[in-house]
Amino acid sequence: MAKAFASQGDMTEKTISFTEVGEGLYAFTAEGDPNSGVIIGDDSVMIVEAQATPRLANKVIECVRSVTDKPITHVALTHYHAVRVLGASAFGAQQIIMSDAARGMVVERGQEDWDSEFQRFPRLFEGHESIPGLTFPTTTFSDSMTVYLGNRRVDIMHLGRAHTAGDAVIHVPDQNVMFTGDIVEYHSACYCGDGHFADWGDTLDAIKWFDVDAIAPGRGDALVGSEMVNAAIENTRDFVASTYRPAARVAARGGSLKEAWDAVRAECDPKFADYAIYEHCLPFNVARAYDEARGIETPRIWTAQRDLEMWEQLQG
């Protein structure tokens, strides 16, 4: 292949930021790499998103220890993707929380996703030999659940399908701050390869209804203040729609996946080409948009082999 597949050529380490987004609430960000969140309660800490390996999770722990020595008791995972969950063992938490749907995806496609993501983005799996195996939750929920960290209330909710079928958001009412996972991004491409385009906008509306004061997104900078929050929500909406529309037009006339790829590039490149992981996400986004437009409701399982076959098809 003339061009490096996905992010195989991305070996540049990113600069970490640890930003307070509310009292006792932090966003761990790294220039478009997967974010994590930190919620400090009266006597314990909840982590949102576990990173891809225990070694990378230790970078989050180092930041936590710079602001508190309280024990980490909970890890909330917004969905099943390997780069979000496989570092969970590092935290030693008593509870690991996912939605029922997310757990089902770990069972159905967790290993395939791990193998595929490792091939796509090797830098994010630094220290992969320390991963003990797939991450399974100790606690699941269908629609919502509440955790109390002392007096601090944390609501964990499934507001609808978007980035995956099992997405969760984490809302801290006393500061009106939300951790959205990859439903919302900021100056980073949305990964839509396991997404539900038709539902994503409604899920963004559900988030917008909370009128939060800050969001820790899945990727990109922390969003503090209603202006940044709303801009990121609407920008995410535009990215998702701009990906789906041209692919759907091609599918409707019986065009090929390669034609959908060209059509999506024509619409999205002028607006989003400088976004983090744009080139990484694009082939998977086009493939899923093309599938959904042709009536394939459940995203097909990505495997390392399917990744390469799709990439060869798109390269012509």
Side-chain angles (χ1 to χ4, degrees):
M1 292 174 288
K3 186 176 179 181
F5 170 65
S7 292
Q8 290 176 344
D10 179 356
M11 302 306 292
T12 304
E13 188 168 351
K14 306 301 183 184
T15 300
I16 292 170
S17 298
F18 193 58
T19 306
E20 190 167 22
V21 293
E23 185 177 348
L25 305 174
Y26 295 86
F28 173 99
T29 66
E31 298 184 291
D33 277 1
N35 294 343
S36 289
V38 177
I39 301 171
I40 302 174
D42 293 336
D43 48 18
S44 63
V45 176
M46 176 183 287
I47 302 295
V48 179
E49 312 290 47
Q51 299 287 314
T53 69
R55 183 183 297 178
L56 291 173
N58 280 323
K59 296 182 180 182
V60 179
I61 293 171
E62 288 174 10
C63 289
V64 172
R65 292 297 165 236
S66 73
V67 294
T68 184
D69 59 1
K70 294 173 183 177
I72 297 168
T73 55
H74 297 75
V75 173
L77 302 171
T78 66
H79 61 286
Y80 75 97
H81 283 155
V83 293
R84 298 295 183 178
V85 307
L86 293 180
S89 63
F91 297 101
Q94 298 160 12
Q95 289 197 52
I96 299 174
I97 302 167
M98 282 183 183
S99 70
D100 291 331
R103 186 190 184 281
M105 290 178 178
V106 175
V107 173
E108 177 193 41
R109 58 184 70 195
Q111 186 62 54
E112 290 86 351
D113 180 72
W114 179 356
D115 295 342
S116 172
E117 291 199 52
F118 181 77
Q119 173 180 260
R120 297 177 188 180
F121 215 144
R123 179 176 60 79
L124 292 183
F125 288 86
E126 173 190 330
H128 63 91
E129 64 281 352
S130 63
I131 300 170
L134 292 172
T135 296
F136 287 92
T138 61
T139 305
T140 64
F141 65 95
S142 55
D143 297 316
S144 66
M145 66 176 288
T146 298
V147 174
Y148 286 91
L149 303 176
N151 289 317
R152 168 157 270 180
R153 174 175 176 153
V154 180
D155 294 324
I156 308 173
M157 301 169 284
H158 173 65
L159 298 179
R161 301 187 303 183
H163 177 69
T164 72
D167 293 330
V169 302
I170 294 87
H171 184 233
V172 184
D174 68 77
Q175 294 293 298
N176 199 25
V177 170
M178 185 175 284
F179 299 82
T180 64
D182 288 312
I183 302 172
V184 177
E185 312 289 23
Y186 183 69
H187 284 282
S188 178
C190 301
Y191 175 76
C192 312
D194 299 298
H196 294 267
F197 287 93
D199 296 351
W200 206 313
D202 290 341
T203 304
L204 289 172
D205 288 340
I207 290 172
K208 199 166 185 176
W209 180 86
F210 283 84
D211 193 23
V212 295
D213 296 319
I215 279 177
R219 293 177 186 263
D221 295 343
L223 308 168
V224 179
S226 60
E227 184 174 345
M228 282 191 77
V229 165
N230 289 325
I233 290 172
E234 294 312 312
N235 185 256
T236 299
R237 191 191 309 275
D238 184 36
F239 186 99
V240 171
S242 296
T243 301
Y244 184 70
R245 276 195 309 264
R249 286 195 293 265
V250 170
R253 61 174 172 80
S256 68
L257 178 62
K258 178 63 166 64
E259 289 173 306
W261 162 262
D262 293 337
V264 173
R265 291 213 78 122
E267 182 153 344
C268 288
D269 282 8
K271 293 191 283 188
F272 308 119
D274 63 341
Y275 279 26
I277 68 166
Y278 175 73
E279 291 291 341
H280 170 99
C281 292
L282 194 63
F284 309 103
N285 293 357
V286 173
R288 174 56 193 151
Y290 183 71
D291 275 358
E292 184 170 318
R294 293 183 301 138
I296 299 175
E297 169 71 12
T298 300
R300 291 189 286 153
I301 295 174
W302 289 104
T303 65
Q305 183 62 32
R306 184 186 168 210
D307 283 1
L308 294 178
E309 290 172 355
M310 176 269 295
W311 182 240
E312 289 171 0
Q313 186 178 354
L314 292 178
Q315 294 306 294

